[in-house]
Amino acid sequence: ELFLQTAERYFMVGHRVTYYVFTDRPADVPSVPLAEGRQLVVLEVRNYARWQEVSMHRMEMISNFSRQRFLREVDYLVCVDVDMKFSDQVGVEILSPLFGTLHPSFFRAPRESFTYERRPQSQAYIPRDEGDFYYAGGFFGGSVAEVLRLTSACHQAMVVNQANGIEAVWHDESHLNRYFVYHKPTKVLSPEYLWDEQMLQRPPFLKRLRYVAVPKNHAEIRH
């Protein structure tokens, strides 16, 4: 509810927007008043026993629904975690054929400290001398066609990993980072588009926080 309420206040105000909400509990999605030209579409998906699988399967879900309907219905996809809230304007400045967001924990860190997948046998493997940034899995997007390419590639890589008994160190985020190493985003967003005030101290040069985590008990949610 908070996600939708704050999105109506801050996200793409004045533009046509379709909120596609993936959930295994469609009856629990709240009714929130939407502005003209904006609609909510609830897409029922299956549940998984482990939170890691829920996270990883989002790539499969996005790619499947892109083929089934997104290509016909919208121009751009903005793929975000829903356990967040908007706290400042997020508009068309983010749009580009393919965009990623700098992870708030690593945007000032040296490449050696990035938590890339380092096992060569994994499909998400990134050598230590490659990679520009560490991207967050919770805010990425672009044109539907480009997002379809990204999510399909990541999903196929996960299928291969699973067949080989491998789970990337940071799940879908590891595969996203691998994809961005070899398919450079056309736009890179700063951490003001994805921030967690409970876990990170806000640096003075970060004047605005546009999309932020809400307080939650990670252990309780995940287990």
Side-chain angles (χ1 to χ4, degrees):
E1 185 174 29
L2 184 61
F3 167 83
L4 291 169
Q5 289 172 342
T6 57
E8 279 298 284
R9 182 176 179 185
Y10 293 117
F11 181 74
M12 300 289 172
V13 175
H15 297 277
R16 289 179 296 153
V17 170
T18 299
Y19 300 106
Y20 296 111
V21 176
F22 296 175
T23 179
D24 63 316
R25 291 156 46 181
D28 291 348
V29 177
S31 176
V32 172
L34 303 179
E36 184 179 355
R38 300 161 80 93
Q39 62 175 325
L40 172 65
V41 175
V42 179
L43 300 173
E44 186 171 3
V45 296
R46 63 162 290 191
N47 193 10
Y48 294 90
R50 300 168 59 244
W51 69 264
Q52 294 94 334
E53 290 187 67
V54 174
S55 183
M56 286 191 290
H57 278 279
R58 86 174 85 190
M59 294 297 186
E60 179 184 20
M61 296 171 192
I62 294 169
S63 62
N64 287 344
F65 281 114
S66 291
R67 291 188 186 93
Q68 294 170 16
R69 58 186 303 171
F70 299 163
L71 282 166
R72 301 191 311 271
E73 296 178 354
V74 293
D75 298 314
Y76 291 93
L77 288 174
V78 182
C79 307
V80 299
D81 289 346
V82 76
D83 56 344
M84 309 272 292
K85 68 177 181 179
F86 292 92
S87 57
D88 207 325
Q89 298 295 328
V90 174
V92 296
E93 79 281 351
I94 71 171
L95 298 181
S96 189
L98 185 65
F99 64 84
T101 304
L102 299 180
H103 195 292
S105 296
F106 295 102
F107 72 101
R108 289 190 292 184
R111 180 167 62 184
E112 308 83 67
S113 69
F114 292 171
T115 53
Y116 287 155
E117 173 64 278
R118 297 301 190 185
R119 292 171 293 174
Q121 64 270 35
S122 172
Q123 295 294 304
Y125 169 64
I126 299 174
R128 293 195 176 273
D129 60 347
E130 295 190 31
D132 305 304
F133 307 109
Y134 189 88
Y135 295 94
F139 199 117
F140 67 92
S143 69
V144 182
E146 286 295 334
V147 172
L148 174 57
R149 292 187 188 96
L150 181 157
T151 54
S152 297
C154 290
H155 171 58
Q156 290 305 314
M158 290 182 214
V159 169
V160 174
N161 265 9
Q162 187 175 30
N164 293 324
I166 299 170
E167 188 173 281
V169 59
W170 286 111
H171 319 108
D172 52 308
E173 187 172 83
S174 296
H175 290 276
L176 176 75
N177 273 277
R178 160 83 184 195
Y179 188 88
F180 279 157
V181 168
Y182 303 109
H183 306 82
K184 303 296 187 190
T186 50
K187 183 170 285 189
V188 177
L189 303 179
S190 86
E192 67 193 284
Y193 289 94
L194 191 72
W195 194 263
D196 190 329
E197 293 186 280
Q198 282 68 54
M199 297 179 65
L200 300 164
Q201 183 174 359
R202 177 178 175 179
F205 61 81
L206 205 61
K207 302 301 183 185
R208 305 170 80 170
L209 298 181
R210 301 174 189 273
Y211 195 50
V212 297
V214 296
K216 54 187 172 291
N217 184 329
H218 287 272
E220 180 182 345
I221 292 171
R222 291 176 174 178
H223 299 292

